[in-house]
Amino acid sequence: MRYLQSGRIRVATAVVLALTLATTAAACGRGGTGSSASGAAKIAIVTRDFTNPYWAALRDGAIAEGKKQGVTVNVQAGDNETDSSGENAKISTLAGQNYTCFGVVPVNATNVITPLVPVAQKNIPILNLDTQIDPGASKAAGVSYASFIGSDNLQAGTLAGQSLLSKVGSGNVAILQGIAGEQNGINREKGFAAATGGKLTVVAKQPADYDQTKAQTVTEAILQAHPDIKGIFAANDTMGLGAAQAVKNAGKSSQITIISVDGIKAALQAVQAGTLSATITQYPYAEGQLAVQACIKAVAKKSIPTRVVAPIKLIDKDNVGRALRSFPQPFEPFTNPLAN
């Protein structure tokens, strides 16, 4: 849980100590053998795929926090961003094992509900991570969630729109969407539209499945159809990097501003190099840490917020150096509702 820079390490250490003492006390209060509540937690997390650095960072944060807290953490994933069947198979396998808490990042709003039914029937806490699972369909299936942990994607889109508007002023822009129908991408686009409506003209928008190669191909086609665009908003960094390559190949890097979302290391390096103008970092490493902290509390029968908002931050040329030095941790402190 080391979210703070060196000047605030003592605060972070105190928070970790307080959390450890709290969970230990909870175990003793149940008349157990004296082992800590965190030691009783066995956590399974299933996300989309590890080829995307975002999900790999979430995995790394969860595993690191598990080691720090002394709990078992198993993080698995599908084969790609749209591999709902592979993801579901992982959940089904883990559901038959003796895990005491689950965290799940869905591919879409409903794909993980069915394999989570056996987990819910055992009254095992389930965390909905990063991407909202349909509450109505979940309720109908008898699946509920101890908490949603993720960043504010509307705000991420708003920050991206404000930044792009400040850089280009007016004119035509394009949007690279994520997976068709995926809620995070929808919310990012809504936030972008709210910030730029009536000021920038969106002449093209097309999904590229959060894939870098697809994004490059889509951007090449957009540049052919709309050679006068002044900016591109990509709903994640891998697509932003693909767009940047297409723009570079067209010899228009100095003419087109590109802003994306996620804050993966390659995007931060691209911002530093000037091929991306900015990224909205969502700190997936911290999100993984938060998931483990929430599971420990849920297993210990401690109350946790129904929604935990992970931090976001606009990273541009002015602060990218600090962001890289702190990576993968946030370079500024944020409010952690799980800390007490």
Side-chain angles (χ1 to χ4, degrees), residues 199-311:
K199 302 165 187 174
L200 298 177
T201 302
V202 178
V203 295
K205 55 182 178 180
Q206 188 172 333
D209 295 340
Y210 296 130
D211 181 86
Q212 186 166 338
T213 301
K214 288 182 182 179
Q216 182 175 339
T217 301
V218 169
T219 303
E220 288 168 352
I222 290 173
L223 293 175
Q224 287 288 329
H226 305 280
D228 63 337
I229 63 169
K230 297 171 66 176
I232 297 172
F233 169 52
N236 88 330
D237 281 342
T238 52
M239 293 192 301
L241 294 170
Q245 187 61 53
V247 168
K248 180 180 178 181
N249 293 346
K252 293 188 173 184
S253 295
S254 63
Q255 303 169 37
I256 298 176
T257 299
I258 304 170
I259 296 176
S260 54
V261 178
D262 274 351
I264 64 173
K265 191 169 187 178
L268 298 182
Q269 292 168 334
V271 170
Q272 191 172 54
T275 52
L276 277 181
S277 296
T279 179
I280 313 301
T281 185
Q282 297 194 294
Y283 297 117
Y285 189 93
E287 190 175 321
Q289 292 177 302
L290 290 167
V292 171
Q293 293 166 22
C295 267
I296 290 172
K297 283 187 171 261
V299 170
K301 307 299 183 184
K302 297 290 185 180
S303 64
I304 58 176
T306 57
R307 181 177 177 85
V308 177
V309 180

Side-chain angles (χ1 to χ4, degrees), residues 26-34:
C28 294
R30 294 196 307 274
T33 62

Side-chain angles (χ1 to χ4, degrees), residues 100-333:
T100 58
C101 186
F102 276 71
V104 181
V105 178
V107 169
N108 57 54
T110 59
N111 75 282
V112 300
I113 295 173
T114 297
L116 285 174
V117 169
V119 179
Q121 290 174 341
K122 297 176 186 177
N123 294 316
I124 296 171
I126 303 170
L127 305 177
N128 178 189
L129 304 178
D130 193 86
T131 306
Q132 191 78 51
I133 303 171
D134 186 283
S138 296
K139 183 177 181 180
V143 178
S144 61
Y145 309 99
S147 183
F148 173 81
I149 300 176
S151 54
D152 187 335
N153 285 285
L154 278 169
Q155 179 65 10
T158 298
L159 287 175
Q162 290 170 344
S163 180
L164 188 60
L165 182 61
S166 71
K167 295 177 187 299
V168 305
S170 62
N172 295 337
V173 298
I175 298 175
L176 296 182
Q177 302 164 311
I179 301 168
E182 189 257 0
Q183 194 61 47
N184 283 356
I186 291 171
N187 287 346
R188 291 169 194 175
E189 187 175 339
K190 284 182 178 178
F192 180 85
T196 62
K199 302 165 187 174
L200 298 177
T201 302
V202 178
V203 295
K205 55 182 178 180
Q206 188 172 333
D209 295 340
Y210 296 130
D211 181 86
Q212 186 166 338
T213 301
K214 288 182 182 179
Q216 182 175 339
T217 301
V218 169
T219 303
E220 288 168 352
I222 290 173
L223 293 175
Q224 287 288 329
H226 305 280
D228 63 337
I229 63 169
K230 297 171 66 176
I232 297 172
F233 169 52
N236 88 330
D237 281 342
T238 52
M239 293 192 301
L241 294 170
Q245 187 61 53
V247 168
K248 180 180 178 181
N249 293 346
K252 293 188 173 184
S253 295
S254 63
Q255 303 169 37
I256 298 176
T257 299
I258 304 170
I259 296 176
S260 54
V261 178
D262 274 351
I264 64 173
K265 191 169 187 178
L268 298 182
Q269 292 168 334
V271 170
Q272 191 172 54
T275 52
L276 277 181
S277 296
T279 179
I280 313 301
T281 185
Q282 297 194 294
Y283 297 117
Y285 189 93
E287 190 175 321
Q289 292 177 302
L290 290 167
V292 171
Q293 293 166 22
C295 267
I296 290 172
K297 283 187 171 261
V299 170
K301 307 299 183 184
K302 297 290 185 180
S303 64
I304 58 176
T306 57
R307 181 177 177 85
V308 177
V309 180
I312 62 173
K313 184 72 175 179
L314 172 71
I315 306 294
D316 59 16
K317 62 181 178 61
D318 294 330
N319 57 8
V320 68
R322 286 195 294 145
L324 278 167
R325 286 191 295 273
S326 296
F327 187 87
Q329 301 282 11
F331 65 89
E332 292 182 348

Side-chain angles (χ1 to χ4, degrees), residues 54-144:
Y54 188 89
W55 306 122
L58 188 151
R59 172 199 63 199
D60 294 346
I63 291 172
E65 187 69 14
K67 289 179 180 178
K68 186 182 298 183
Q69 300 286 356
V71 302
T72 298
V73 179
N74 183 359
V75 187
Q76 298 192 19
D79 291 333
N80 55 61
E81 284 283 342
T82 58
D83 183 21
S84 58
S85 59
E87 185 180 57
N88 289 359
K90 300 285 188 182
I91 297 170
S92 294
T93 299
L94 293 166
Q97 300 173 18
N98 60 336
Y99 288 94
T100 58
C101 186
F102 276 71
V104 181
V105 178
V107 169
N108 57 54
T110 59
N111 75 282
V112 300
I113 295 173
T114 297
L116 285 174
V117 169
V119 179
Q121 290 174 341
K122 297 176 186 177
N123 294 316
I124 296 171
I126 303 170
L127 305 177
N128 178 189
L129 304 178
D130 193 86
T131 306
Q132 191 78 51
I133 303 171
D134 186 283
S138 296
K139 183 177 181 180
V143 178
S144 61

